[in-house]
Amino acid sequence: MFQLHQQLVAPAEQLDPESGLIRVGGRLRQSSDLPPDAIHPVVLDPAHPITKLIIKDCDDHLHHPGPESFFAELRRRYWILRGREAVWKHQHRCPKCQQSRAKPIIPQMADLPLARLRLCKPPFYSTGVDCFGPYTVKIGRRAEKR
Ligand SMILES: [Zn+2]
């Protein structure tokens, strides 16, 4: 009875004898459509430098997506322990991710001058025309605006 129970329940993790890596056991052993890495993803330590490089490479490859889709893509091949936290840490340090997360800041503007507040006046009551533009003058071999 005990042996039958052991055969039915898959172990949580298993050691890959070829590569020496720890892989997730899972319940997808019978699947023939999935690639082997998706059936048994590699278990990784979030603090290891190789793991950080894998996260950085995946983030660059996917062009800095949102944290959940990025985490889902990582899970296809790697099972990073405390993975959401590792992804969050990486994306908060990544300059490109910071740029995509940034909120625009509305600049503070000064009050309008009185000349622009002449309400209820006819159109073109106060106008200006710029008759001269900058001319490009050649001095020797260089050109200057005058
Ligand atoms: Zn990024």
Short mmCIF file of all heavy atoms in Angstrom, two decimals, residues 59 64 90 94 96-97, ligand 1:
data_model
loop_
_atom_site.label_atom_id
_atom_site.label_comp_id
_atom_site.label_asym_id
_atom_site.label_seq_id
_atom_site.Cartn_x
_atom_site.Cartn_y
_atom_site.Cartn_z
N ASP A 59 14.24 40.14 -19.11
CA ASP A 59 13.62 41.47 -19.11
C ASP A 59 14.01 42.24 -20.38
O ASP A 59 13.16 42.88 -21.00
CB ASP A 59 14.08 42.22 -17.86
CG ASP A 59 13.32 43.51 -17.65
OD1 ASP A 59 12.12 43.55 -17.95
OD2 ASP A 59 13.93 44.48 -17.16
N HIS A 64 10.99 44.88 -21.33
CA HIS A 64 10.58 45.45 -20.05
C HIS A 64 9.05 45.45 -19.88
O HIS A 64 8.42 46.50 -19.81
CB HIS A 64 11.16 46.86 -19.88
CG HIS A 64 12.61 46.89 -20.22
ND1 HIS A 64 13.58 46.49 -19.34
CD2 HIS A 64 13.26 47.21 -21.36
CE1 HIS A 64 14.76 46.60 -19.92
NE2 HIS A 64 14.60 47.02 -21.14
N HIS A 90 14.31 43.45 -9.37
CA HIS A 90 15.03 43.75 -10.62
C HIS A 90 14.37 44.93 -11.35
O HIS A 90 15.06 45.85 -11.79
CB HIS A 90 15.06 42.54 -11.55
CG HIS A 90 15.52 42.89 -12.93
ND1 HIS A 90 16.85 43.13 -13.21
CD2 HIS A 90 14.84 43.13 -14.07
CE1 HIS A 90 16.95 43.46 -14.48
NE2 HIS A 90 15.75 43.47 -15.02
N CYS A 94 15.92 48.49 -12.69
CA CYS A 94 16.15 48.59 -14.13
C CYS A 94 15.75 50.00 -14.62
O CYS A 94 14.61 50.41 -14.44
CB CYS A 94 15.33 47.52 -14.85
SG CYS A 94 15.42 47.63 -16.63
N LYS A 96 15.21 51.19 -17.65
CA LYS A 96 14.16 51.17 -18.69
C LYS A 96 12.78 50.92 -18.09
O LYS A 96 11.80 51.52 -18.52
CB LYS A 96 14.47 50.10 -19.73
CG LYS A 96 15.73 50.33 -20.50
CD LYS A 96 15.44 51.01 -21.78
CE LYS A 96 16.72 51.14 -22.57
NZ LYS A 96 16.52 51.54 -23.91
N CYS A 97 12.71 50.02 -17.10
CA CYS A 97 11.43 49.76 -16.44
C CYS A 97 10.98 51.00 -15.66
O CYS A 97 9.80 51.31 -15.62
CB CYS A 97 11.54 48.56 -15.51
SG CYS A 97 11.67 46.99 -16.36
ZN ZN B 1 13.58 46.39 -17.34
#
